[in-house]
Amino acid sequence: MQETLITQINKERLPKHIAVIMDGNGRWAKEKGQDRLYGHFHGVESVRSIVEGTAELGISYLTLYAFSTENWDRPVKEVEGLIALLVDSIRKEVPTLNKNNIRLHVIGDLSMLPDFARNELNEALEMTSTNTGLNLILALSYSSRWELTNAVKQIGLDVKAGKIDPENINQDTIQQYLATSEFPDPELMIRTSGEYRISNFLLYQLAYAELYFTNTRWPDFRKEHLYEALIDFQSRERRFGKTGQQIQEEKQLA
Ligand code: IPE
Ligand code: IPE
Ligand code: MG
């Protein structure tokens, strides 16, 4: 199935940036009579598959929502298990990231993390910092409202310090103060597990993203599911507020 699906993807019209809300680990585990952490553990295999699939296609940016600001409110045992799993997986994956020229980035409030986790993360960021292939962005202890609050605060401070003139604030200014300032906006956002919401993820950046929802739970998500999402993405007409006729005319001119 995988082989035939990949041949249906137009390599000329791939998104540069895909963002994924990796959801459904807990339910996947419960359905198997297991502890929620068992689901998170199996979710790591899906991450490997999707990172590999994205890199193989030559896509430049992949953002994975791994842990939200609100996820800190889960039971302590789950939070600790998740952080330990994240740190452990990152440590184990660094050689593979380097082998595949993948650069790791993190967006989120890292001050919330325990020291050992932050240190491990910083080490992994450093060890992959010269890689020039896929940019793998982990959203960790991340939420859009945290990010936007931070951006507004920083802009205010820079106005006060005389570094920027409030009259000159425009959309580019805002972009520069986001945690994602180095990355283009995602064109495709995938959420697994049959939930149809954004859950505080990249609210500003997803303004014109195509949204793709699948019932597949994250631990079951593999490359072929990614291919299905890409084929669906390529069937859509992205109008950016214009009319369909304008878009067709622009296509003919190009
Ligand atoms: C996604 O799976 C992983 C994280 C949020 C860390 P969930 O843990 O949310 O699983 P469900 O949605 O409860 O099934
Ligand atoms: C969103 O999933 C966060 C991550 C996938 C890391 P949640 O499971 O936390 O979202 P809600 O609570 O269902 O909206
Ligand atoms: Mg969930």
Side-chain angles (χ1 to χ4, degrees), residues 127-189:
M127 280 161 77
T128 64
S129 64
T130 56
N131 294 341
T132 55
L134 173 69
N135 288 283
L136 173 61
I137 305 146
L138 275 191
L140 185 52
S141 185
Y142 171 90
S143 72
S144 263
R145 289 184 176 179
W146 162 81
E147 177 184 43
L148 291 169
T149 306
N150 227 21
V152 171
K153 197 183 286 174
Q154 200 52 52
I155 291 173
L157 287 169
D158 284 352
V159 165
K160 198 169 145 194
K163 288 189 200 157
I164 46 174
D165 178 350
E167 296 289 346
N168 294 336
I169 293 174
N170 56 27
Q171 291 189 15
D172 288 338
T173 320
I174 295 172
Q175 152 75 14
Q176 284 158 23
Y177 283 83
L178 297 176
T180 54
S181 59
E182 297 171 61
F183 319 123
D185 289 343
E187 293 111 308
L188 171 62
M189 195 286 284

Side-chain angles (χ1 to χ4, degrees), residues 182-205:
E182 297 171 61
F183 319 123
D185 289 343
E187 293 111 308
L188 171 62
M189 195 286 284
I190 300 172
R191 182 170 190 152
T192 61
S193 89
E195 302 298 352
Y196 299 85
R197 55 178 171 263
I198 306 284
S199 301
N200 219 344
F201 186 45
L202 303 174
L203 300 180
Y204 186 85
Q205 297 88 336

Side-chain angles (χ1 to χ4, degrees), residues 25-26 29 36-44 74 78 82 85 219:
N25 296 352
R36 291 176 58 85
L37 279 171
Y38 179 80
H40 297 315
F41 182 75
H42 279 271
V44 177
R74 290 191 179 189
E78 182 168 348
L82 263 168
L85 179 65

Side-chain angles (χ1 to χ4, degrees), residues 15-251:
K16 286 189 189 60
H17 186 172
I18 303 176
V20 186
I21 302 180
M22 310 185 287
D23 197 18
N25 296 352
R27 279 163 287 161
W28 184 88
K30 287 283 156 207
E31 283 153 13
K32 295 185 155 39
Q34 300 282 349
D35 188 74
R36 291 176 58 85
L37 279 171
Y38 179 80
H40 297 315
F41 182 75
H42 279 271
V44 177
E45 194 48 44
S46 308
V47 172
R48 269 193 216 107
S49 175
I50 278 12
V51 169
E52 195 180 285
T54 312
E56 281 165 1
L57 286 166
I59 289 166
S60 304
Y61 301 89
L62 174 67
T63 299
L64 300 178
Y65 204 5
F67 193 87
S68 73
T69 306
E70 289 75 20
N71 290 150
W72 288 112
D73 296 331
R74 290 191 179 189
V76 176
K77 186 173 150 275
E78 182 168 348
V79 170
E80 286 180 354
L82 263 168
I83 300 297
L85 179 65
L86 272 160
V87 169
D88 190 51
S89 309
I90 290 169
R91 188 191 303 127
K92 285 192 185 135
E93 290 305 315
V94 166
T96 312
L97 296 178
N98 281 333
K99 192 173 124 237
N100 295 315
N101 198 20
I102 299 170
R103 179 169 178 187
L104 186 69
H105 304 262
V106 180
I107 54 171
D109 184 1
L110 300 189
S111 72
M112 299 278 288
L113 288 171
D115 288 346
F116 82 94
R118 198 172 37 251
N119 295 342
E120 282 281 351
L121 261 176
N122 282 331
E123 210 170 297
L125 295 178
E126 175 62 33
M127 280 161 77
T128 64
S129 64
T130 56
N131 294 341
T132 55
L134 173 69
N135 288 283
L136 173 61
I137 305 146
L138 275 191
L140 185 52
S141 185
Y142 171 90
S143 72
S144 263
R145 289 184 176 179
W146 162 81
E147 177 184 43
L148 291 169
T149 306
N150 227 21
V152 171
K153 197 183 286 174
Q154 200 52 52
I155 291 173
L157 287 169
D158 284 352
V159 165
K160 198 169 145 194
K163 288 189 200 157
I164 46 174
D165 178 350
E167 296 289 346
N168 294 336
I169 293 174
N170 56 27
Q171 291 189 15
D172 288 338
T173 320
I174 295 172
Q175 152 75 14
Q176 284 158 23
Y177 283 83
L178 297 176
T180 54
S181 59
E182 297 171 61
F183 319 123
D185 289 343
E187 293 111 308
L188 171 62
M189 195 286 284
I190 300 172
R191 182 170 190 152
T192 61
S193 89
E195 302 298 352
Y196 299 85
R197 55 178 171 263
I198 306 284
S199 301
N200 219 344
F201 186 45
L202 303 174
L203 300 180
Y204 186 85
Q205 297 88 336
L206 293 177
Y208 265 106
E210 295 299 325
L211 308 182
Y212 179 87
F213 298 96
T214 169
N215 288 330
T216 305
R217 309 272 199 235
W218 179 251
D220 288 329
F221 199 88
R222 289 293 180 277
K223 280 182 201 176
E224 57 264 37
H225 300 99
L226 173 73
Y227 300 155
E228 279 168 359
L230 285 166
I231 292 163
D232 189 276
F233 169 80
Q234 292 185 335
S235 74
R236 302 188 191 185
E237 182 176 63
R238 305 187 71 210
R239 291 191 284 275
F240 301 97
K242 295 183 184 176
T243 67
Q245 192 179 339
Q246 283 175 297
I247 299 300
Q248 290 310 321
E249 283 165 6
E250 283 172 10
K251 250 196 212 158

